[in-house]
Amino acid sequence: MEAKSERKSEAKGADGDDYFERKSLGFSKQTADDAAAAAAAAEPDAGAAAEAAAKRNADEDEGNVGVSDAEAMKVVADGFSINSMNMRNAQNGRVLWESGTWGREMFEQEMDAHVPRSILACKAVSREINFTSMSEMKAFRLVQKVFFQGMVMEEWRFDFGFVIPGSTNSWQQVIKAADEMMDPELLSGNITIETSFFDGASFIAKSLVRIFYD
């Protein structure tokens, strides 16, 4: 599965509005073990070791929600919220699903998302996340795992980059569908998406969303 991401950030300072946009491409279809091994082989230094340690910490409660034990990252989590998120048919732009506001509760309890089963027929889905962060992040990124009945089926990685403190940001990703899709009756309620939030190598928090296809 291929993923493409686009970001926009806005923040108001003393001199008015700052605005910048960055586009990036990313692709990942690795298991957790393969990803850790690849990172260690590519960067056998202190930075890679720190990232591997953060990944182990994030994986300790796989399939659960939670916040980092590091005080600095707790502050980041406390000041982070998703204002809205939507999913569209990437070919025609039609909105298929939209969330409300998700605050600290997304790191404290499993969330539900009821998505129309027609989304499974899309060749590609565009997902847009609008979020606010009260804290600066130097290298904001997400690692998402898709679980089916508790087993990891896929892993996706998305890099946003620098986040201005007190900013509201829009982040769009385009995800291409797999060649073959399972029956929505079988998938509904049995799919969970675990999202680990990082600032560089530092683990911030983790959310878990259970998907229902209506």
Side-chain angles (χ1 to χ4, degrees):
M1 186 170 286
E2 186 178 356
K4 169 183 162 182
S5 67
E6 176 180 345
R7 55 165 276 176
K8 295 182 181 179
S9 303
E10 297 182 0
K12 179 165 287 189
D15 298 325
D17 287 340
D18 294 325
Y19 174 84
F20 61 92
E21 178 178 347
R22 181 180 299 171
K23 296 182 180 180
S24 63
L25 294 175
F27 173 65
S28 176
K29 193 176 182 181
Q30 297 173 296
T31 64
D33 290 343
D34 289 342
E43 296 183 41
D45 55 17
E51 182 171 356
K55 187 178 187 305
R56 284 196 300 272
N57 290 336
D59 288 346
E60 282 180 358
D61 294 319
E62 195 166 70
N64 292 310
V65 297
V67 176
S68 172
D69 291 332
E71 291 300 324
M73 294 300 103
K74 287 181 181 179
V75 172
V76 175
D78 286 341
F80 183 90
S81 63
I82 292 177
N83 305 312
S84 65
M85 178 165 49
N86 65 59
M87 301 183 76
R88 302 170 182 261
N89 183 324
Q91 292 185 305
N92 59 27
R94 179 188 172 195
V95 176
L96 301 172
W97 175 81
E98 191 166 8
S99 77
T101 301
W102 291 356
R104 179 61 185 259
E105 70 275 8
M106 67 179 160
F107 303 138
E108 297 173 344
Q109 62 189 37
E110 180 178 299
M111 310 290 285
D112 289 346
H114 289 261
V115 180
R117 62 181 60 197
S118 60
I119 199 170
L120 296 174
C122 297
K123 293 183 178 179
V125 172
S126 172
R127 179 180 66 185
E128 184 174 7
I129 303 171
N130 182 277
F131 69 90
T132 296
S133 176
M134 301 311 297
S135 297
E136 174 184 304
M137 288 186 273
K138 291 182 170 56
F140 181 45
R141 63 187 181 90
L142 305 178
V143 176
Q144 292 192 306
K145 294 180 182 179
V146 180
F147 291 83
F148 174 68
Q149 295 182 334
M151 296 181 60
V152 179
M153 303 298 290
E154 292 190 86
E155 180 173 319
W156 308 327
R157 296 181 176 217
F158 302 99
D159 295 300
F160 184 86
F162 183 76
V163 176
I164 301 171
S167 64
T168 295
N169 311 268
S170 292
W171 190 6
Q172 186 177 56
Q173 300 112 18
V174 176
I175 304 171
K176 292 185 178 180
D179 294 333
E180 296 183 8
M181 298 299 296
M182 298 173 66
D183 188 329
E185 295 291 343
L186 181 61
L187 294 174
S188 186
N190 291 314
I191 290 286
T192 54
I193 300 178
E194 176 194 271
T195 305
S196 295
F197 298 73
F198 292 88
D199 182 8
S202 300
F203 171 64
I204 301 169
K206 184 189 296 185
S207 68
L208 189 68
V209 179
R210 187 170 298 276
I211 308 297
F212 295 88
Y213 293 101
D214 298 334

